[in-house]
Amino acid sequence: MSRSPGRKQENHKISRELFVLTYGALVAQLCKDYEKDEDVNACLDRMGYSIGIRLIDDFLARSAVKKCRSYSETADVIAQVAFKMYLGITPSVSCSSATGNEFSLILDKNPLVDFVEELPAERASLCYCNLLCGVIRGALEMVHLAAEVSFLQDRLKGDAVTEIGITFLRKPEDRKHRRN
């Protein structure tokens, strides 16, 4: 039997839609389990972190990216390779600091919110896609890059764009390792 060429892409689309629907059910359940949005946000971040520390091995094996030499190169790899590989989108990257350690990922489209119209008024401080911040932070930590990752803007909250901020916490010279 031979496979039709479009079958793999069709399965990928079904898998992504299933993930998005499952993710929505997960967030809804967390909202029922926790009264405060901050607790839901923290739980999503922890879950994402756990995913990120495991996902980095798959990413490095499948992407064949070389070692990044700068924070800007790292931000570009996250946007152009990782987001494309796992979510099928390519955010734009902008550097938001003179020191070169703060970057923003601007998402024109966020597949995690495909089936979400808007957040309920009583959940105004909920960061629906906070899982993504945890994934990025966990993956970066596994390649020895400490970072703070958070949503700066969110279309679900009425902002013009969805923007994820990444702040690398160490200077590039702090990352060098000594060999004995």
Side-chain angles (χ1 to χ4, degrees), residues 50-103:
S50 294
I51 292 168
I53 62 175
R54 289 167 181 81
L55 194 63
I56 190 68
D57 288 331
D58 179 67
F59 173 75
L60 293 173
R62 291 179 49 200
S63 68
V65 294
K66 303 283 188 226
K67 182 179 179 179
C68 296
R69 302 274 180 220
S70 66
Y71 289 142
S72 63
E73 194 176 330
T74 302
D76 286 339
V77 167
I78 292 169
Q80 296 172 5
V81 182
F83 268 82
K84 182 72 173 172
M85 184 183 293
Y86 294 106
L87 292 175
I89 59 170
T90 306
S92 57
V93 178
S94 66
C95 182
S96 54
S97 75
T99 59
N101 71 325
E102 295 180 23
F103 295 88

Side-chain angles (χ1 to χ4, degrees), residues 127-178:
C127 190
Y128 183 83
C129 297
N130 211 37
L131 183 96
L132 293 176
C133 294
V135 169
I136 294 168
R137 189 172 55 84
L140 287 172
E141 187 172 301
M142 293 308 292
V143 292
H144 306 290
L145 291 172
E148 287 180 2
V149 184
S150 62
F151 273 88
L152 303 177
Q153 297 184 68
D154 192 346
R155 281 196 172 141
L156 286 179
K157 295 182 179 183
D159 295 322
V161 296
T162 299
E163 179 180 4
I164 299 173
I166 301 173
T167 303
F168 294 98
L169 300 176
R170 289 188 220 118
K171 296 178 184 174
E173 56 270 9
D174 292 344
R175 295 187 320 166
K176 293 180 183 175
H177 300 285
R178 292 186 195 179

Side-chain angles (χ1 to χ4, degrees), residues 2-63:
S2 66
R3 290 185 177 168
S4 61
R7 179 118 175 138
K8 186 174 184 180
Q9 186 174 7
E10 182 181 308
N11 287 341
H12 179 69
K13 183 177 180 181
I14 291 170
S15 297
R16 184 172 36 194
E17 286 178 356
L18 179 62
F19 171 69
V20 171
L21 288 170
T22 304
Y23 182 74
L26 169 74
V27 174
Q29 185 61 48
L30 289 174
C31 288
K32 289 178 185 176
D33 292 346
Y34 297 101
E35 290 180 22
K36 297 180 183 177
D37 290 344
E38 294 77 21
D39 295 336
V40 176
N41 294 342
C43 187
L44 288 170
D45 183 71
R46 282 191 312 271
M47 294 169 93
Y49 179 83
S50 294
I51 292 168
I53 62 175
R54 289 167 181 81
L55 194 63
I56 190 68
D57 288 331
D58 179 67
F59 173 75
L60 293 173
R62 291 179 49 200
S63 68

Side-chain angles (χ1 to χ4, degrees), residues 107-120:
L107 285 71
D108 293 326
K109 185 177 180 192
N110 182 352
L112 290 181
V113 299
D114 281 351
F115 302 110
V116 180
E117 293 178 17
E118 62 183 36
L119 294 176

